[in-house]
Amino acid sequence: MGRKGTGVEVRGNAIRIQFTYNGEVLRRTLNIDGKPLPPTTANLKYAHRLAAEIRERIRFESFSLAEYFPADGDVGQPQTVGTQLDDWLSAQRLEVSTTAGYSSAIKFWKAAVCDRRGSKLGDRPVRMLKHSDVLTALASRPELTGKTVNNYVSVLRKAMELAVADKAIATNPVSAVARAKHQRPLPDPFSREEAEIIVADMAAHYPAPITNYVEFKFFTGLRTSESFGLRWRDVDLSSKHLLVHRAIVRGVEKLNTKTNTARQVILNSRALAAVQRQRKHTQIKGEHVFLDPRYDQPWFEERAFRRSYWEPTLRRLGMRYRPPYNTRHTYATMMLMAGMTPAFCANQLGHSVEMFLRTYAKWIDGGQNALEMGRLEAAIAPSASTSAPKKGR
């Protein structure tokens, strides 16, 4: 039944493939669960694909005999999905924060269950990974958000793209996995009144540098990483400007912002007052504007600030929790409600105008929406002559 010259032949009730490896002609019977694979039409098609795949990998020097035929002994460890993910990650040039996100995705795929027998996807040989394995692994974690699913799938897809480029596999089994539906949550800013209450409460309970920092965040909209990385040399009090061009992310100081674009931020009176008060605490050191007052060292991660100061304050006030990043949303909406142009606001926050409009569309018009609807209601309201009931003749 096997065609001559294809490397596939039928031997009784079994299928044998033949190939040349390291100058030696090898013949191997295909088995499943320890028994010969019967020569059905479907199995023969599989054998021909396998023989072609083996020849291709031998050609590109990526063939492992032990991966395909483990009974031949330890003549090369099979490339599993887990090892492929590790190899892909080590080949990337990434920021620390990005590496952490990718590592989380890799941890998920290594441990994910991909079949009814409880097999781990990370232990599966790369060449045996199927589209359905990926879907089964995702289905085992229904609590994952659409955004998280898309991030995880993106990492696995890229790792398998590298395997294709290395000729380890012919096609990417992850390429057809559809993106999960995900609706970007709306910003959840604090109101102006809430912001003032938080600043006042912190002033009553914590050292002045903490109050200065929080008021500064509420009235500049800097990202947490940008405020941590701000240095005095980037502050021009005479012109009331800041140069934002560095950040501290997960303890690593970067000479660039999240968007890799430096920007000038204009200090309003509240932000300027907070920086002026901060001078006596840190300017003499000539480095970072805001330091952790417990250790007199730069803030290296948001968690320390959040757990020590932010979370206790909101609990004390009985205020609904929102992360410190939402001070940025607060300033954005504060500017919009004051009637400032979206283009100016976007520039101050380091957004593109398109991103800014998409993120803060709900607040773009501020109080103008009510005014415009009032005009419409006045126009469509029934007049006295048409609304009054007609008297009978």
Side-chain angles (χ1 to χ4, degrees):
M1 292 174 65
R3 290 176 297 175
K4 186 176 181 180
T6 63
V8 177
E9 60 179 341
V10 175
R11 303 281 293 181
N13 198 34
I15 304 174
R16 188 169 72 175
I17 65 173
Q18 174 181 307
F19 53 93
T20 301
Y21 181 55
N22 290 336
E24 180 182 358
V25 176
L26 301 178
R27 298 178 179 86
R28 295 294 184 271
T29 298
L30 302 184
N31 296 304
I32 182 169
D33 295 329
K35 298 179 181 179
L37 191 68
T40 64
T41 300
N43 288 342
L44 283 169
K45 288 181 178 179
Y46 164 74
H48 284 292
R49 291 197 303 270
L50 181 64
E53 178 182 315
I54 289 174
R55 289 195 298 271
E56 184 77 356
R57 291 193 64 176
I58 290 173
R59 176 187 171 197
F60 288 99
E61 299 181 352
S62 61
F63 175 69
S64 166
L65 192 61
E67 180 179 348
Y68 285 80
F69 305 102
D72 284 282
D74 185 16
V75 293
Q77 291 299 316
Q79 182 77 337
T80 65
V81 172
T83 55
Q84 177 64 29
L85 284 162
D86 289 337
D87 289 348
W88 171 81
L89 184 62
S90 65
Q92 308 306 305
R93 297 179 59 186
L94 303 169
E95 299 285 355
V96 173
S97 56
T98 305
T99 301
Y102 285 174
S103 297
S104 177
I106 290 172
K107 182 179 179 181
F108 165 78
W109 290 118
K110 285 183 176 181
V113 174
C114 61
D115 60 30
R116 286 179 292 180
R117 297 187 298 275
S119 303
K120 296 291 191 293
L121 188 136
D123 297 332
R124 181 143 296 184
V126 169
R127 69 179 183 85
M128 294 180 64
L129 180 66
K130 303 189 299 292
H131 178 95
S132 59
D133 295 333
V134 180
L135 298 183
T136 302
L138 293 173
S140 71
R141 293 288 302 277
E143 78 281 6
L144 295 178
T145 66
K147 183 176 185 297
T148 299
V149 167
N150 291 335
N151 290 341
Y152 284 1
V153 171
S154 176
V155 168
L156 184 61
R157 183 182 292 114
K158 290 175 181 177
M160 293 304 110
E161 285 174 0
L162 180 61
V164 172
D166 287 341
K167 306 299 182 182
I169 53 178
T171 59
N172 187 342
V174 191
S175 59
V177 176
R179 287 183 60 82
K181 293 181 179 179
H182 168 64
Q183 180 173 318
R184 185 183 181 92
L186 287 174
D188 189 9
F190 294 89
S191 68
R192 173 68 183 277
E193 181 184 10
E194 287 176 322
E196 298 290 5
I197 291 172
I198 291 170
V199 171
D201 185 83
M202 287 193 161
H205 290 87
Y206 301 127
I210 295 298
T211 307
N212 298 339
Y213 175 64
V214 172
E215 185 170 3
F216 174 85
K217 279 179 65 65
F218 269 124
F219 289 93
T220 61
L222 263 65
R223 299 178 177 93
T224 300
S225 60
E226 295 169 345
S227 60
F228 284 173
L230 185 66
R231 291 175 178 251
W232 282 108
R233 72 187 73 161
D234 300 323
V235 179
D236 188 341
L237 294 175
S238 60
S239 67
K240 303 179 183 179
H241 280 76
L242 302 174
L243 175 62
V244 180
H245 66 112
R246 66 177 76 234
I248 294 178
V249 181
R250 295 180 180 268
V252 177
E253 189 152 16
K254 303 173 8 178
L255 299 179
N256 58 286
T257 64
K258 180 180 179 180
T259 58
N260 296 310
T261 302
R263 69 183 189 278
Q264 291 278 352
V265 173
I266 301 174
L267 292 173
N268 55 55
S269 59
R270 293 294 296 274
L272 181 62
V275 174
Q276 291 279 21
R277 294 194 305 269
Q278 184 67 8
R279 292 177 65 185
K280 66 180 181 180
H281 299 288
T282 59
Q283 192 175 32
I284 192 171
K285 299 179 179 64
E287 293 296 332
H288 294 88
V289 175
F290 299 105
L291 300 175
D292 183 340
R294 299 170 302 175
Y295 312 109
D296 209 26
Q297 293 293 324
W299 293 100
F300 286 118
E301 59 177 357
E302 183 188 274
R303 181 174 57 180
F305 166 74
R306 189 179 68 240
R307 290 182 175 178
S308 298
Y309 301 106
W310 186 258
E311 292 175 357
T313 297
L314 297 189
R315 283 198 301 269
R316 193 164 49 243
L317 292 171
M319 195 174 290
R320 180 170 59 84
Y321 182 79
R322 279 149 285 178
Y325 189 90
N326 286 34
T327 58
R328 178 172 169 83
H329 295 321
T330 303
Y331 188 57
T333 56
M334 199 183 300
M335 287 190 290
L336 289 172
M337 296 300 287
M340 301 170 78
T341 65
F344 175 84
C345 299
N347 184 63
Q348 291 298 286
L349 293 179
H351 277 309
S352 67
V353 175
E354 178 186 4
M355 173 64 75
F356 185 83
L357 292 174
R358 186 164 63 245
T359 303
Y360 299 105
K362 178 180 175 181
W363 291 269
I364 293 295
D365 296 315
Q368 191 69 19
N369 288 340
L371 178 61
E372 294 299 327
M373 287 303 296
R375 290 172 176 169
L376 176 62
E377 292 296 343
I380 65 177
S383 63
S385 60
T386 59
S387 61
K390 295 182 179 180
K391 296 181 180 180
R393 291 181 179 179

